């Protein structure tokens, strides 16, 4: 009998904290836009919605739990998607700020970034000379002199306060080989618990580059360090988004798309929506003969606590 293949989990990262409003009219900003975009992405096949918040007036990334609470209940009521909140926030936020909303919302899943690093997106400033808001250009330029801080003490605190404290599990964000060793360290301590949902990230300036050889090296390293207890997803920034997700799917892995990490649907073609990116990778997955995991199937693969067991 043919081995039952695990279905493929599609994560959609709805808005993030890198792209600014002037870069694309499709980038969801207000709570209403985040609700609509997340719902449509879910309907297109996303089992997990990875969520940041934006100031509804200026579009600037915000850690304000009250803003998160303006869209979380609606997404819970209108979808059965797994809600995955960022603990990364933006590179300019303190850890206290970054944890405020997750500690209040106690979601099933949170991102957890496995290393301090340069996280540079100032290059995006050269793409235009007109900005809708005063904050956008300085925000982009500041990224080449900001450390994205994720010390071992920070990581341990997130695992303790959210993981032990509220049963939240993690999308472990790995931007480089060393981050896999950090995950193995916290797994040995028993703070990171299997199955490990490992999100391998390529093409962020400051992290490992988007070259296929790096994907196979990261996959081999994760397999050697963490064994079969991993559920590996992959995404890449910008133009590499679909090719890298497709390559990992061909390896039997899972995928992440979304306007957080790429504003495009094709060469120099802005995506109209998150749902359009989800539909594109969904159709590729179907072409590879893969079935798409439902949120319930994702919960089972990732050992999540259930949509009723949250704080919103
Ligand atoms: N924007 C991604 C490169 C987080 O939110 O904690 C990383 C990310 C991390 O999504
Ligand atoms: Zn994020």
């Amino acid at each position: 009998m043919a081995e039952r293949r695990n279905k493929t989990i599609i994560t959609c990262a709805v808005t993030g904290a890198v792209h600014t409003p002037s870069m694309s009219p499709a980038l969801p900003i207000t709570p209403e836009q985040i609700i609509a975009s997340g719902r449509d992405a879910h309907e297109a096949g996303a089992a997990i919605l990875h969520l940041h918040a934006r100031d509804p007036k200026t579009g600037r990334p915000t850690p304000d739990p009250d803003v998160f609470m303006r869209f979380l209940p609606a997404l819970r009521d209108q979808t059965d998607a797994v809600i995955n909140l960022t603990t990364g926030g933006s590179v300019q936020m303190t850890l206290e700020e970054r944890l405020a909303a997750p500690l209040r919302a106690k979601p099933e899943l949170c991102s957890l970034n496995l290393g301090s690093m340069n996280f540079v997106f100032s290059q995006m400033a050269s793409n235009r000379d007109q900005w809708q808001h005063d904050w956008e250009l300085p925000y982009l330029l500041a990224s080449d002199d900001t450390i994205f801080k994720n010390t071992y003490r920070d990581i341990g605190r997130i695992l303790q306060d959210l993981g032990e404290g509220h049963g939240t599990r993690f999308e472990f964000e790995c931007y480089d080989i060393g981050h896999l060793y950090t995950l193995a360290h916290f797994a040995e301590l028993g703070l990171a618990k299997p199955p490990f949902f490992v999100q391998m990230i390529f093409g962020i300036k400051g992290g490992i580059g988007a070259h296929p050889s790096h994907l196979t090296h990261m996959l081999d390293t994760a397999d050697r360090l963490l064994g079969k207890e991993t559920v590996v997803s992959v995404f890449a920034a910008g133009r590499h988004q679909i090719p890298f997700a497709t390559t990992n799917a061909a390896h039997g892995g899972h995928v992440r798309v979304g306007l957080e990490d790429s504003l495009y649907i094709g060469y120099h073609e802005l995506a109209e929506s998150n749902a359009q990116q989800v539909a594109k990778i969904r159709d590729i997955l179907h072409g590879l003969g893969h079935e798409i995991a439902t949120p319930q199937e994702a919960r089972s693969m990732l050992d999540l606590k259930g949509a009723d067991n949250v704080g919103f």
Side-chain angles (χ1 to χ4, degrees), residues 41-63:
H42 169 63
E43 284 167 9
I48 299 175
L49 298 177
H50 171 77
L51 298 164
H52 294 241
R54 300 282 184 138
D55 179 314
K57 291 192 178 61
T58 67
R60 185 175 189 134
T62 178

Side-chain angles (χ1 to χ4, degrees), residues 13 16-18 50-52 85-89 111-113 119 148 171 173 175 201 204 235 256 260-261:
V18 169
H50 171 77
L51 298 164
H52 294 241
L85 291 194
T86 180
T87 65
S111 64
L112 207 178
N113 297 274
F119 189 128
F148 184 29
E171 175 189 288
E173 315 282 346
Y175 301 74
I201 301 171
I204 295 293
F235 76 84
R256 172 168 143 172
E260 171 166 342
D261 303 305

Side-chain angles (χ1 to χ4, degrees), residues 58-224:
T58 67
R60 185 175 189 134
T62 178
D64 185 347
D66 290 341
V67 179
F68 279 85
M69 286 304 177
R70 286 176 57 185
F71 56 78
L72 289 177
L75 283 170
R76 179 205 56 213
D77 294 343
Q78 297 179 32
T79 78
D80 69 336
V82 174
I83 299 298
N84 166 0
L85 291 194
T86 180
T87 65
S90 87
V91 296
Q92 294 182 3
M93 294 176 192
T94 66
L95 189 64
E96 294 304 325
E97 288 171 326
R98 290 159 50 183
L99 292 183
L103 287 170
R104 180 158 149 197
K106 307 174 179 61
E108 294 187 82
L109 200 58
C110 272
S111 64
L112 207 178
N113 297 274
L114 286 173
S116 299
M117 61 188 280
N118 294 308
F119 189 128
V120 178
F121 42 92
S122 53
Q123 69 280 5
M124 293 183 189
S126 58
N127 297 347
R128 66 182 49 254
D129 49 20
Q130 299 281 321
W131 301 92
Q132 295 170 21
H133 304 279
D134 293 345
W135 66 267
E136 291 181 80
L137 181 57
Y139 180 79
L140 296 172
L141 295 177
S143 68
D144 68 10
D145 194 32
T146 309
I147 289 287
F148 184 29
K149 178 180 173 289
N150 299 289
T151 63
Y152 270 39
R153 189 165 307 171
D154 294 340
I155 295 165
R157 178 173 164 201
I158 296 169
L159 288 166
Q160 187 64 41
D161 291 4
L162 279 166
E164 299 300 311
H166 300 300
T168 296
R169 289 182 49 72
F170 297 95
E171 175 189 288
F172 292 107
E173 315 282 346
C174 297
Y175 301 74
D176 215 330
I177 284 286
H179 296 175
L180 293 169
Y181 283 85
T182 296
L183 177 52
H185 165 79
F186 285 99
E188 275 160 38
L189 292 181
L191 268 177
K193 298 179 186 340
F196 306 110
F197 185 34
V198 176
Q199 188 71 258
M200 298 182 179
I201 301 171
F202 300 85
I204 295 293
K205 286 200 181 317
I208 200 164
H211 190 280
S213 65
H214 294 332
L215 173 56
T216 40
H217 185 42
M218 289 274 278
L219 290 171
D220 292 347
T221 304
D223 193 40
R224 178 166 49 80

Side-chain angles (χ1 to χ4, degrees), residues 288-304:
L288 291 171
H290 295 190
E291 288 181 74
I292 309 305
T294 65
Q296 277 315 102
E297 288 163 337
R299 288 186 174 94
S300 161
M301 283 189 248
L302 301 177
D303 194 20
L304 301 183

